[in-house]
């Protein structure tokens, strides 16, 4: 470090992570006393992975349950506010339904129109910074032999 530099930019820090920063002065004769710890929390981000173990189960000819498990804490990068469940019609790739649920919920029952014969369900977690990654498409059709 240059003796005239009074600031440092830390790079490659993890999102939404606490760091303890300490400083000390040094000369040719040795190191000075170390400062006490100053705790810094880095900026919040969005989940870098999707919820896991997403499953669907038919309940009747127009309703089905969707369940999932949360994003692993190492990949959340913030405070998860909730989950979005996206239902797409596989015949035309249009979004049929989007439901938001609270963070403490890991199951929802959805109803679809008789017109939707093939659908795809995806789940994502979101923080105040935005949406995380979507889960893989879980295909479903023929809920109960219509």
């Amino acid at each position: 470090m240059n003796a005239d530099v009074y600031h440092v930019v830390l790079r490659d820090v993890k999102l939404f992570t606490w760091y303890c920063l300490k400083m000390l002065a040094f000369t040719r004769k040795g190191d000075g006393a170390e400062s006490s710890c100053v705790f810094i929390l880095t900026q919040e981000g969005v989940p870098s992975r999707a919820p896991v173990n997403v499953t669907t189960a038919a309940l009747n000819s127009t309703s089905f349950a969707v369940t999932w498990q949360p994003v692993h804490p190492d990949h959340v990068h913030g405070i998860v506010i909730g989950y979005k469940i996206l239902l797409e019609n596989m015949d035309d790739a249009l979004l049929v339904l989007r439901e938001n649920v609270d963070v403490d919920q890991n199951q929802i029952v959805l109803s679809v129109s008789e017109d939707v014969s093939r659908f795809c369900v995806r789940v994502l977690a979101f923080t105040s910074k935005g949406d995380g990654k979507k889960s893989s498409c879980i295909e479903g059709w023929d809920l109960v032999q219509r």
Side-chain angles (χ1 to χ4, degrees), residues 58-93:
L59 302 175
N60 59 42
S61 64
T62 59
S63 298
F64 62 97
V66 180
T67 59
W68 63 91
Q69 292 179 335
V71 176
H72 189 278
D74 290 345
H75 305 288
V76 170
H77 310 301
I79 298 172
V80 174
I81 297 170
Y83 298 96
K84 292 181 182 178
I85 297 80
L86 309 172
L87 181 66
E88 300 169 6
N89 185 336
M90 291 182 65
D91 294 331
D92 57 15

Side-chain angles (χ1 to χ4, degrees), residues 31-48:
D31 294 346
E34 190 175 84
S35 73
S36 58
C37 207
V38 174
F39 289 97
I40 306 250
L41 178 62
T42 56
Q43 183 176 348
E44 184 174 22
V46 299
S48 59

Side-chain angles (χ1 to χ4, degrees), residues 1-2 11 13 27 40 42 54 77 79 84 91 93-94 103 136 143 146:
M1 258 181 97
N2 183 324
R11 300 191 190 288
V13 294
T27 66
I40 306 250
T42 56
V54 178
H77 310 301
I79 298 172
K84 292 181 182 178
D91 294 331
L94 291 177
V103 67
S136 299
L143 288 172
R146 293 180 191 221

Side-chain angles (χ1 to χ4, degrees), residues 7-47:
H7 71 274
V8 172
V9 176
L10 301 175
R11 300 191 190 288
D12 299 321
V13 294
K14 293 181 181 179
L15 289 170
F16 207 68
T17 302
W18 284 100
Y19 287 91
C20 165
L21 300 179
K22 295 181 180 182
M23 292 181 28
L24 62 88
F26 63 92
T27 66
R28 286 183 217 134
K29 293 188 176 193
D31 294 346
E34 190 175 84
S35 73
S36 58
C37 207
V38 174
F39 289 97
I40 306 250
L41 178 62
T42 56
Q43 183 176 348
E44 184 174 22
V46 299

